[in-house]
Amino acid sequence: TQLLEQSPQFLSIQEGENLTVYCNSSSVFSSLQWYRQEPGEGPVLLVTVVTGGEVKKLKRLTFQFGDARKDSSLHITAAQPGDTGLYLCAGTYNNNDMRFGAGTRLTVKP
Amino acid sequence: DVKVTQSSRYLVKRTGEKVFLECVQDMDHENMFWYRQDPGLGLRLIYFSYDVKMKEKGDIPEGYSVSREKKERFSLILESASTNQTSMYLCASTPQGFSSGANVLTFGAGSRLTVL
């Protein structure tokens, strides 16, 4: 059973468009991380959020942690082909159990 | 930068063969992990180790075993490979346990195993 639900599973957009990816759980996270995985490589950490309501920006990427720490979103502004990849959220629960979402596969077409 | 190296990027094995997947990290990390990654299922934890010669089962340990004889090396063993073990296998490490986001996983590039 997947404790983390990511949506959408697939997303194909044109260069310059904006997009949002969601990560939801019925349980409270002690922290949440977003990773990006390119083909043939392992996931690489983008950001960690810890505090409810926290917002972090990484260039054109904006990460938000829900007030109740049960959900998170990743917003990309003016997507570039280099943003193409698999985006994974990973939540750590209070018992130090860490779970991954199934991922959102993003394709940005030139 | 921490480096996690998985020696075999691609393997093709036959049903019933014994398979060794090797993982080495070079930053003296305490914890090491083996995940498998399948489309639509995300990453699922097979085994992890928090110290030399110590191991803990993850969510899907059946059909797998592990070995950690040295701190830097964590091996995943498939005693008798089956076709349902065809997957991408990812090794990862962290300096210490997860605690309020204090540690993050550093992954290797993955080992894609095909069992015929």
Side-chain angles (χ1 to χ4, degrees), chain B residues 24-96:
Chain B
V24 177
Q25 51 93 4
D26 65 0
M27 283 298 288
D28 204 37
H29 279 184
E30 299 291 330
N31 299 327
M32 296 187 75
F33 305 80
W34 275 106
Y35 288 89
R36 65 177 281 176
Q37 182 177 28
D38 300 288
L41 295 177
L43 275 68
R44 292 179 293 166
L45 183 63
I46 304 171
Y47 268 97
F48 67 98
S49 169
Y50 53 87
D51 201 354
V52 175
K53 296 192 185 294
M54 304 302 287
K55 61 184 179 183
E56 294 284 343
K57 292 180 180 178
D59 297 321
I60 52 164
E62 297 78 18
Y64 304 95
S65 62
V66 290
S67 173
R68 193 162 181 205
E69 296 296 319
K70 294 184 178 181
K71 190 174 186 179
E72 67 271 18
R73 187 179 299 270
F74 192 35
S75 303
L76 180 68
I77 303 152
L78 288 67
E79 291 289 341
S80 178
S82 62
T83 54
N84 63 13
Q85 292 179 308
T86 291
S87 187
M88 169 69 89
Y89 290 88
L90 289 164
C91 176
S93 69
T94 64
Q96 56 195 15

Side-chain angles (χ1 to χ4, degrees), chain A residues 50-69:
Chain A
V50 177
T51 306
E54 185 176 3
V55 177
K56 283 191 174 180
K57 291 183 184 292
L58 186 66
K59 296 184 181 178
R60 293 176 292 99
L61 278 62
T62 301
F63 304 86
Q64 185 157 8
F65 201 15
D67 291 340
R69 292 187 292 143

Side-chain angles (χ1 to χ4, degrees), chain B residues 10-28:
Chain B
Y10 300 94
L11 300 95
V12 180
K13 298 291 182 181
R14 295 207 174 272
T15 300
E17 282 192 82
K18 191 169 186 176
V19 182
F20 291 90
L21 299 180
E22 301 287 339
C23 175
V24 177
Q25 51 93 4
D26 65 0
M27 283 298 288
D28 204 37

Side-chain angles (χ1 to χ4, degrees), chain A residues 2 9 30-31 33 35 37 40-45 48 50 86 88 92 96-103 105, chain B residues 9-10 35 37-43 59 88 90 97-110:
Chain A
Q2 200 74 34
Q9 190 174 356
S30 59
S31 67
Q33 297 167 341
Y35 291 79
Q37 184 178 18
E41 300 295 330
V44 176
L45 180 74
T48 300
V50 177
L86 180 68
L88 295 158
T92 300
N96 278 340
D97 185 18
M98 186 179 191
R99 299 285 168 168
F100 281 84
R105 189 165 297 281
Chain B
R9 294 296 304 271
Y10 300 94
Y35 288 89
Q37 182 177 28
D38 300 288
L41 295 177
L43 275 68
D59 297 321
M88 169 69 89
L90 289 164
F98 301 116
S99 174
S100 299
N103 289 288
V104 303
L105 291 163
T106 300
F107 285 91

